[in-house]
Each structure stands twice: as C-alpha cells, then as structure tokens.
PDB file of all heavy atoms in Angstrom:
ATOM      1  N   PRO A   8     -16.755   6.879   8.942  1.00 97.00           N
ATOM      2  CA  PRO A   8     -15.456   6.411   8.460  1.00 97.00           C
ATOM      3  C   PRO A   8     -15.409   4.910   8.186  1.00 97.00           C
ATOM      4  O   PRO A   8     -14.797   4.483   7.204  1.00 97.00           O
ATOM      5  CB  PRO A   8     -14.497   6.815   9.585  1.00 97.00           C
ATOM      6  CG  PRO A   8     -15.160   7.996  10.226  1.00 97.00           C
ATOM      7  CD  PRO A   8     -16.622   7.696  10.172  1.00 97.00           C
ATOM      8  N   TYR A   9     -16.028   4.107   9.064  1.00 97.00           N
ATOM      9  CA  TYR A   9     -16.000   2.663   8.840  1.00 97.00           C
ATOM     10  C   TYR A   9     -16.647   2.300   7.514  1.00 97.00           C
ATOM     11  O   TYR A   9     -16.100   1.510   6.728  1.00 97.00           O
ATOM     12  CB  TYR A   9     -16.710   1.927   9.980  1.00 97.00           C
ATOM     13  CG  TYR A   9     -16.842   0.444   9.714  1.00 97.00           C
ATOM     14  CD1 TYR A   9     -15.789  -0.426   9.973  1.00 97.00           C
ATOM     15  CD2 TYR A   9     -18.019  -0.084   9.176  1.00 97.00           C
ATOM     16  CE1 TYR A   9     -15.889  -1.780   9.698  1.00 97.00           C
ATOM     17  CE2 TYR A   9     -18.133  -1.438   8.894  1.00 97.00           C
ATOM     18  CZ  TYR A   9     -17.067  -2.283   9.166  1.00 97.00           C
ATOM     19  OH  TYR A   9     -17.175  -3.621   8.884  1.00 97.00           O
ATOM     20  N   ALA A  10     -17.836   2.847   7.245  1.00 98.00           N
ATOM     21  CA  ALA A  10     -18.551   2.525   6.005  1.00 98.00           C
ATOM     22  C   ALA A  10     -17.784   3.035   4.788  1.00 98.00           C
ATOM     23  O   ALA A  10     -17.688   2.338   3.763  1.00 98.00           O
ATOM     24  CB  ALA A  10     -19.948   3.129   6.036  1.00 98.00           C
ATOM     25  N   ILE A  11     -17.224   4.234   4.873  1.00 97.00           N
ATOM     26  CA  ILE A  11     -16.461   4.781   3.756  1.00 97.00           C
ATOM     27  C   ILE A  11     -15.261   3.893   3.446  1.00 97.00           C
ATOM     28  O   ILE A  11     -15.002   3.549   2.286  1.00 97.00           O
ATOM     29  CB  ILE A  11     -16.016   6.219   4.065  1.00 97.00           C
ATOM     30  CG1 ILE A  11     -17.241   7.149   4.118  1.00 97.00           C
ATOM     31  CG2 ILE A  11     -15.007   6.713   3.030  1.00 97.00           C
ATOM     32  CD1 ILE A  11     -16.936   8.540   4.630  1.00 97.00           C
ATOM     33  N   GLU A  12     -14.519   3.499   4.498  1.00 98.00           N
ATOM     34  CA  GLU A  12     -13.352   2.641   4.289  1.00 98.00           C
ATOM     35  C   GLU A  12     -13.762   1.279   3.749  1.00 98.00           C
ATOM     36  O   GLU A  12     -13.135   0.749   2.820  1.00 98.00           O
ATOM     37  CB  GLU A  12     -12.572   2.476   5.589  1.00 98.00           C
ATOM     38  CG  GLU A  12     -11.316   1.616   5.424  1.00 98.00           C
ATOM     39  CD  GLU A  12     -10.549   1.455   6.725  1.00 98.00           C
ATOM     40  OE1 GLU A  12     -11.083   1.821   7.783  1.00 98.00           O
ATOM     41  OE2 GLU A  12      -9.406   0.943   6.665  1.00 98.00           O
ATOM     42  N   ARG A  13     -14.817   0.720   4.303  1.00 98.00           N
ATOM     43  CA  ARG A  13     -15.277  -0.610   3.896  1.00 98.00           C
ATOM     44  C   ARG A  13     -15.610  -0.644   2.410  1.00 98.00           C
ATOM     45  O   ARG A  13     -15.138  -1.521   1.675  1.00 98.00           O
ATOM     46  CB  ARG A  13     -16.515  -0.982   4.721  1.00 98.00           C
ATOM     47  CG  ARG A  13     -17.367  -2.119   4.168  1.00 98.00           C
ATOM     48  CD  ARG A  13     -16.762  -3.476   4.474  1.00 98.00           C
ATOM     49  NE  ARG A  13     -17.648  -4.541   4.033  1.00 98.00           N
ATOM     50  CZ  ARG A  13     -17.610  -5.114   2.835  1.00 98.00           C
ATOM     51  NH1 ARG A  13     -16.736  -4.702   1.940  1.00 98.00           N
ATOM     52  NH2 ARG A  13     -18.438  -6.096   2.534  1.00 98.00           N
ATOM     53  N   TYR A  14     -16.410   0.284   1.947  1.00 98.00           N
ATOM     54  CA  TYR A  14     -16.876   0.222   0.567  1.00 98.00           C
ATOM     55  C   TYR A  14     -15.860   0.785  -0.418  1.00 98.00           C
ATOM     56  O   TYR A  14     -15.829   0.366  -1.572  1.00 98.00           O
ATOM     57  CB  TYR A  14     -18.239   0.901   0.444  1.00 98.00           C
ATOM     58  CG  TYR A  14     -19.308   0.102   1.150  1.00 98.00           C
ATOM     59  CD1 TYR A  14     -19.902   0.562   2.313  1.00 98.00           C
ATOM     60  CD2 TYR A  14     -19.690  -1.158   0.673  1.00 98.00           C
ATOM     61  CE1 TYR A  14     -20.860  -0.198   2.981  1.00 98.00           C
ATOM     62  CE2 TYR A  14     -20.638  -1.911   1.326  1.00 98.00           C
ATOM     63  CZ  TYR A  14     -21.222  -1.428   2.481  1.00 98.00           C
ATOM     64  OH  TYR A  14     -22.162  -2.196   3.139  1.00 98.00           O
ATOM     65  N   THR A  15     -15.007   1.702   0.019  1.00 98.00           N
ATOM     66  CA  THR A  15     -13.937   2.176  -0.849  1.00 98.00           C
ATOM     67  C   THR A  15     -12.941   1.053  -1.123  1.00 98.00           C
ATOM     68  O   THR A  15     -12.514   0.850  -2.266  1.00 98.00           O
ATOM     69  CB  THR A  15     -13.238   3.395  -0.238  1.00 98.00           C
ATOM     70  OG1 THR A  15     -14.192   4.444  -0.033  1.00 98.00           O
ATOM     71  CG2 THR A  15     -12.131   3.899  -1.146  1.00 98.00           C
ATOM     72  N   LYS A  16     -12.587   0.315  -0.077  1.00 98.00           N
ATOM     73  CA  LYS A  16     -11.661  -0.807  -0.263  1.00 98.00           C
ATOM     74  C   LYS A  16     -12.277  -1.908  -1.119  1.00 98.00           C
ATOM     75  O   LYS A  16     -11.598  -2.515  -1.956  1.00 98.00           O
ATOM     76  CB  LYS A  16     -11.238  -1.377   1.097  1.00 98.00           C
ATOM     77  CG  LYS A  16     -10.234  -0.518   1.835  1.00 98.00           C
ATOM     78  CD  LYS A  16      -9.756  -1.198   3.110  1.00 98.00           C
ATOM     79  CE  LYS A  16      -8.652  -0.404   3.768  1.00 98.00           C
ATOM     80  NZ  LYS A  16      -8.181  -1.059   5.023  1.00 98.00           N
ATOM     81  N   GLU A  17     -13.554  -2.170  -0.926  1.00 98.00           N
ATOM     82  CA  GLU A  17     -14.201  -3.204  -1.724  1.00 98.00           C
ATOM     83  C   GLU A  17     -14.294  -2.775  -3.187  1.00 98.00           C
ATOM     84  O   GLU A  17     -14.132  -3.601  -4.099  1.00 98.00           O
ATOM     85  CB  GLU A  17     -15.588  -3.514  -1.165  1.00 98.00           C
ATOM     86  CG  GLU A  17     -16.365  -4.578  -1.929  1.00 98.00           C
ATOM     87  CD  GLU A  17     -15.719  -5.959  -1.933  1.00 98.00           C
ATOM     88  OE1 GLU A  17     -14.653  -6.157  -1.300  1.00 98.00           O
ATOM     89  OE2 GLU A  17     -16.275  -6.862  -2.593  1.00 98.00           O
ATOM     90  N   ALA A  18     -14.536  -1.495  -3.418  1.00 98.00           N
ATOM     91  CA  ALA A  18     -14.540  -1.003  -4.795  1.00 98.00           C
ATOM     92  C   ALA A  18     -13.179  -1.221  -5.441  1.00 98.00           C
ATOM     93  O   ALA A  18     -13.084  -1.683  -6.585  1.00 98.00           O
ATOM     94  CB  ALA A  18     -14.915   0.484  -4.830  1.00 98.00           C
ATOM     95  N   GLY A  19     -12.118  -0.921  -4.709  1.00 98.00           N
ATOM     96  CA  GLY A  19     -10.778  -1.141  -5.235  1.00 98.00           C
ATOM     97  C   GLY A  19     -10.509  -2.609  -5.518  1.00 98.00           C
ATOM     98  O   GLY A  19      -9.881  -2.960  -6.531  1.00 98.00           O
ATOM     99  N   ARG A  20     -10.965  -3.475  -4.637  1.00 98.00           N
ATOM    100  CA  ARG A  20     -10.789  -4.918  -4.862  1.00 98.00           C
ATOM    101  C   ARG A  20     -11.498  -5.356  -6.136  1.00 98.00           C
ATOM    102  O   ARG A  20     -10.948  -6.112  -6.956  1.00 98.00           O
ATOM    103  CB  ARG A  20     -11.319  -5.713  -3.668  1.00 98.00           C
ATOM    104  CG  ARG A  20     -11.039  -7.211  -3.780  1.00 98.00           C
ATOM    105  CD  ARG A  20     -11.796  -7.993  -2.717  1.00 98.00           C
ATOM    106  NE  ARG A  20     -13.227  -8.084  -3.017  1.00 98.00           N
ATOM    107  CZ  ARG A  20     -13.751  -8.966  -3.887  1.00 98.00           C
ATOM    108  NH1 ARG A  20     -12.976  -9.818  -4.550  1.00 98.00           N
ATOM    109  NH2 ARG A  20     -15.057  -8.987  -4.088  1.00 98.00           N
ATOM    110  N   LEU A  21     -12.729  -4.893  -6.327  1.00 98.00           N
ATOM    111  CA  LEU A  21     -13.508  -5.288  -7.498  1.00 98.00           C
ATOM    112  C   LEU A  21     -12.898  -4.746  -8.787  1.00 98.00           C
ATOM    113  O   LEU A  21     -12.886  -5.442  -9.811  1.00 98.00           O
ATOM    114  CB  LEU A  21     -14.952  -4.813  -7.343  1.00 98.00           C
ATOM    115  CG  LEU A  21     -15.754  -5.559  -6.267  1.00 98.00           C
ATOM    116  CD1 LEU A  21     -17.026  -4.802  -5.924  1.00 98.00           C
ATOM    117  CD2 LEU A  21     -16.080  -6.975  -6.714  1.00 98.00           C
ATOM    118  N   TYR A  22     -12.385  -3.528  -8.757  1.00 98.00           N
ATOM    119  CA  TYR A  22     -11.686  -3.021  -9.938  1.00 98.00           C
ATOM    120  C   TYR A  22     -10.440  -3.858 -10.233  1.00 98.00           C
ATOM    121  O   TYR A  22     -10.060  -4.035 -11.399  1.00 98.00           O
ATOM    122  CB  TYR A  22     -11.312  -1.558  -9.772  1.00 98.00           C
ATOM    123  CG  TYR A  22     -12.421  -0.618 -10.169  1.00 98.00           C
ATOM    124  CD1 TYR A  22     -13.153   0.087  -9.208  1.00 98.00           C
ATOM    125  CD2 TYR A  22     -12.749  -0.421 -11.512  1.00 98.00           C
ATOM    126  CE1 TYR A  22     -14.180   0.950  -9.578  1.00 98.00           C
ATOM    127  CE2 TYR A  22     -13.783   0.435 -11.886  1.00 98.00           C
ATOM    128  CZ  TYR A  22     -14.491   1.110 -10.916  1.00 98.00           C
ATOM    129  OH  TYR A  22     -15.506   1.952 -11.278  1.00 98.00           O
ATOM    130  N   GLY A  23      -9.815  -4.373  -9.193  1.00 98.00           N
ATOM    131  CA  GLY A  23      -8.674  -5.255  -9.405  1.00 98.00           C
ATOM    132  C   GLY A  23      -9.081  -6.543 -10.107  1.00 98.00           C
ATOM    133  O   GLY A  23      -8.374  -7.036 -10.995  1.00 98.00           O
ATOM    134  N   VAL A  24     -10.223  -7.098  -9.713  1.00 98.00           N
ATOM    135  CA  VAL A  24     -10.753  -8.290 -10.377  1.00 98.00           C
ATOM    136  C   VAL A  24     -11.029  -7.987 -11.853  1.00 98.00           C
ATOM    137  O   VAL A  24     -10.651  -8.772 -12.750  1.00 98.00           O
ATOM    138  CB  VAL A  24     -12.048  -8.770  -9.683  1.00 98.00           C
ATOM    139  CG1 VAL A  24     -12.703  -9.906 -10.466  1.00 98.00           C
ATOM    140  CG2 VAL A  24     -11.750  -9.214  -8.251  1.00 98.00           C
ATOM    141  N   LEU A  25     -11.671  -6.863 -12.103  1.00 98.00           N
ATOM    142  CA  LEU A  25     -11.986  -6.460 -13.473  1.00 98.00           C
ATOM    143  C   LEU A  25     -10.703  -6.245 -14.281  1.00 98.00           C
ATOM    144  O   LEU A  25     -10.596  -6.683 -15.438  1.00 98.00           O
ATOM    145  CB  LEU A  25     -12.820  -5.177 -13.441  1.00 98.00           C
ATOM    146  CG  LEU A  25     -13.343  -4.622 -14.767  1.00 98.00           C
ATOM    147  CD1 LEU A  25     -14.274  -5.609 -15.446  1.00 98.00           C
ATOM    148  CD2 LEU A  25     -14.055  -3.288 -14.529  1.00 98.00           C
ATOM    149  N   ASP A  26      -9.728  -5.603 -13.680  1.00 98.00           N
ATOM    150  CA  ASP A  26      -8.482  -5.321 -14.382  1.00 98.00           C
ATOM    151  C   ASP A  26      -7.748  -6.601 -14.767  1.00 98.00           C
ATOM    152  O   ASP A  26      -7.199  -6.707 -15.879  1.00 98.00           O
ATOM    153  CB  ASP A  26      -7.587  -4.437 -13.505  1.00 98.00           C
ATOM    154  CG  ASP A  26      -6.488  -3.753 -14.296  1.00 98.00           C
ATOM    155  OD1 ASP A  26      -6.818  -2.884 -15.118  1.00 98.00           O
ATOM    156  OD2 ASP A  26      -5.307  -4.091 -14.101  1.00 98.00           O
ATOM    157  N   ARG A  27      -7.734  -7.577 -13.865  1.00 98.00           N
ATOM    158  CA  ARG A  27      -7.051  -8.840 -14.170  1.00 98.00           C
ATOM    159  C   ARG A  27      -7.747  -9.590 -15.301  1.00 98.00           C
ATOM    160  O   ARG A  27      -7.094 -10.191 -16.154  1.00 98.00           O
ATOM    161  CB  ARG A  27      -6.962  -9.705 -12.914  1.00 98.00           C
ATOM    162  CG  ARG A  27      -5.971  -9.157 -11.890  1.00 98.00           C
ATOM    163  CD  ARG A  27      -5.716 -10.133 -10.770  1.00 98.00           C
ATOM    164  NE  ARG A  27      -6.897 -10.373  -9.942  1.00 98.00           N
ATOM    165  CZ  ARG A  27      -7.235  -9.605  -8.908  1.00 98.00           C
ATOM    166  NH1 ARG A  27      -6.523  -8.519  -8.607  1.00 98.00           N
ATOM    167  NH2 ARG A  27      -8.304  -9.892  -8.184  1.00 98.00           N
ATOM    168  N   ARG A  28      -9.083  -9.561 -15.317  1.00 98.00           N
ATOM    169  CA  ARG A  28      -9.796 -10.210 -16.416  1.00 98.00           C
ATOM    170  C   ARG A  28      -9.489  -9.527 -17.742  1.00 98.00           C
ATOM    171  O   ARG A  28      -9.259 -10.185 -18.766  1.00 98.00           O
ATOM    172  CB  ARG A  28     -11.309 -10.182 -16.151  1.00 98.00           C
ATOM    173  CG  ARG A  28     -12.155 -10.626 -17.337  1.00 98.00           C
ATOM    174  CD  ARG A  28     -11.759 -11.998 -17.843  1.00 98.00           C
ATOM    175  NE  ARG A  28     -12.530 -12.388 -19.014  1.00 98.00           N
ATOM    176  CZ  ARG A  28     -12.202 -13.390 -19.819  1.00 98.00           C
ATOM    177  NH1 ARG A  28     -11.092 -14.099 -19.580  1.00 98.00           N
ATOM    178  NH2 ARG A  28     -12.952 -13.690 -20.854  1.00 98.00           N
ATOM    179  N   LEU A  29      -9.456  -8.205 -17.727  1.00 98.00           N
ATOM    180  CA  LEU A  29      -9.227  -7.459 -18.960  1.00 98.00           C
ATOM    181  C   LEU A  29      -7.768  -7.468 -19.394  1.00 98.00           C
ATOM    182  O   LEU A  29      -7.446  -7.030 -20.499  1.00 98.00           O
ATOM    183  CB  LEU A  29      -9.747  -6.032 -18.800  1.00 98.00           C
ATOM    184  CG  LEU A  29     -11.272  -5.944 -18.652  1.00 98.00           C
ATOM    185  CD1 LEU A  29     -11.693  -4.531 -18.257  1.00 98.00           C
ATOM    186  CD2 LEU A  29     -11.977  -6.372 -19.935  1.00 98.00           C
ATOM    187  N   ALA A  30      -6.880  -7.977 -18.552  1.00 98.00           N
ATOM    188  CA  ALA A  30      -5.491  -8.190 -18.957  1.00 98.00           C
ATOM    189  C   ALA A  30      -5.371  -9.395 -19.880  1.00 98.00           C
ATOM    190  O   ALA A  30      -4.414  -9.497 -20.652  1.00 98.00           O
ATOM    191  CB  ALA A  30      -4.608  -8.385 -17.733  1.00 98.00           C
ATOM    192  N   GLU A  31      -6.347 -10.296 -19.802  1.00 98.00           N
ATOM    193  CA  GLU A  31      -6.286 -11.524 -20.600  1.00 98.00           C
ATOM    194  C   GLU A  31      -7.316 -11.577 -21.713  1.00 98.00           C
ATOM    195  O   GLU A  31      -7.322 -12.517 -22.500  1.00 98.00           O
ATOM    196  CB  GLU A  31      -6.472 -12.741 -19.679  1.00 98.00           C
ATOM    197  CG  GLU A  31      -7.794 -12.765 -18.935  1.00 98.00           C
ATOM    198  CD  GLU A  31      -7.881 -13.862 -17.890  1.00 98.00           C
ATOM    199  OE1 GLU A  31      -6.806 -14.352 -17.452  1.00 98.00           O
ATOM    200  OE2 GLU A  31      -9.003 -14.240 -17.502  1.00 98.00           O
TER     201      GLU A  31
END
C-alpha cells in the first residue's frame, strides 16, 4: 500500500505539472 500510494500520488502530481504547461 505505501508504494502504491506513493507512486500513484506522484503520477498525479506530474500530470498536474504537464497539464499546467499545456494550458499555456
């Protein structure tokens, strides 16, 4: 569970970074 939560959350964070760049 720790590893799943850790990397799932990090994936979401990185998609957020990508999404903000592609907004501009």
Side-chain angles (χ1 to χ4, degrees):
Y9 174 82
I11 292 171
E12 182 180 11
R13 163 79 175 91
Y14 291 110
T15 301
K16 285 185 174 180
E17 180 63 2
R20 186 190 74 80
L21 290 165
Y22 274 107
V24 173
L25 184 62
D26 198 68
R27 289 190 294 274
R28 171 55 183 165
L29 293 170
E31 60 188 21

